[in-house]
Amino acid sequence: MKRIVWGRATSSNVMKVLWGLGELDLPFERIDVGGAFGKTDTPEYRAMNPTGLVPTLQEDDFTLWESNVILRYLHAAHAPDSPLFPKEVHARANVDRWMDAQQTTFNRNMGLVFWGLVRTPADKRDMAAIAQAIEDTAKAWRMVEAELRRHPFIAGDTLTLCDIPWGVHAHRWFGMDYLGLERPDLPDLRAWYDRLCARPAYQQHVVACPIT
Ligand SMILES: N[C@@H](CCC(=O)N[C@@H](CS)C(=O)NCC(=O)O)C(=O)O
């Protein structure tokens, strides 16, 4: 089978898929599209992914977009017995909701922080808006911290799929230059991030990628 991930390696949503593939030990090729690489507005790309966003997964004739859905698909198709997505329905629903929560309650504010500090020149930054976004992002991290106080990974004792969407952003959260802005001390979140850093696939696909 030929497996291709379409998307620039600097995208948080692409990183999720690459890290997931690494955890599942599934080989793949990656093609740079999106951001400065462009090529997401071509009819060929739009035929695979009408949103024009990255990532897109291609396995032979099958294509799929939406990063969290791709993670669940990879598990179902290639590693259904892996503890990354537990079989027991309540445990699975818990993993699912934390995956969704990253997209719904967290992503917008974290995006404002990231774009504001990393992708906006210093003289164009709206520091008041960034400070507010940091506070709102911290609220979401505190929810995660509360889970991590009870167990080493978000859903329990081992890594599951819901650690992946949050984990890619943890690297940015701890790695960004905060320009003196207040960031709350979240020791359990930091310990979890250090635990993720010990995983080769996280190192390779998240930590090794410059925060740009
Ligand atoms: N909900 C989508 C969001 C995808 C998305 O927003 N991707 C961003 C990169 S993180 C993108 O394609 N931005 C435009 C670009 O890179 O050209 C997913 O999770 O896959």
Side-chain angles (χ1 to χ4, degrees):
M1 173 202 287
K2 193 171 171 63
R3 178 179 298 113
I4 300 174
V5 177
W6 295 80
R8 59 189 168 85
T10 51
S11 145
S12 58
N13 289 306
V14 172
M15 282 180 199
K16 292 179 192 173
V17 172
L18 304 183
W19 176 17
L21 284 163
E23 291 290 345
L24 293 171
D25 212 12
L26 297 171
F28 64 91
E29 283 170 42
R30 189 181 59 76
I31 297 179
D32 272 322
V33 293
F37 297 98
K39 300 184 200 144
T40 48
D41 212 15
T42 63
E44 293 78 19
Y45 189 80
R46 293 284 170 146
M48 289 195 300
N49 182 342
T51 69
L53 298 171
V54 294
T56 301
L57 174 76
Q58 194 176 16
E59 287 187 345
D60 293 333
D61 294 337
F62 176 69
T63 57
L64 192 62
W65 41 275
E66 278 300 328
S67 56
N68 288 359
V69 175
I70 293 172
L71 288 173
R72 286 188 284 259
Y73 161 77
L74 289 170
H75 176 274
H78 305 295
D81 295 327
S82 158
L84 276 181
F85 201 31
K87 284 190 200 301
E88 195 278 318
V89 288
H90 294 165
R92 178 164 288 206
N94 184 43
V95 171
D96 248 341
R97 84 168 147 195
W98 279 103
M99 292 180 85
D100 280 14
Q102 179 272 323
Q103 298 263 23
T104 53
T105 63
F106 168 83
N107 208 40
R108 187 174 172 279
N109 289 319
M110 181 68 191
L112 292 174
V113 177
F114 182 70
W115 275 87
L117 290 180
V118 177
R119 295 187 180 160
T120 306
D123 60 335
K124 300 228 160 49
R125 285 182 193 136
D126 178 345
M127 294 310 282
I130 294 171
Q132 181 62 52
I134 289 182
E135 203 175 308
D136 294 339
T137 305
K139 269 186 207 150
W141 281 127
R142 279 198 195 89
M143 284 180 350
V144 177
E145 163 101 347
E147 296 303 302
L148 294 168
R149 203 165 299 134
R150 300 189 294 124
H151 29 68
F153 293 93
I154 296 175
D157 290 336
T158 60
L159 185 93
T160 65
L161 290 185
C162 69
D163 291 289
I164 294 180
W166 291 90
V168 298
H169 290 284
H171 179 59
R172 291 177 171 183
W173 179 249
F174 287 111
M176 268 190 272
D177 173 5
Y178 280 84
L179 307 166
L181 290 168
E182 284 296 313
R183 187 170 33 149
D185 191 28
L186 299 171
D188 295 300
L189 192 77
R190 176 73 213 198
W192 165 73
Y193 169 61
D194 291 341
R195 233 168 266 133
L196 298 182
C197 285
R199 305 184 79 89
Y202 186 75
Q203 276 293 334
Q204 184 182 349
H205 300 296
V206 182
V207 177
C209 193
I211 299 175
T212 54

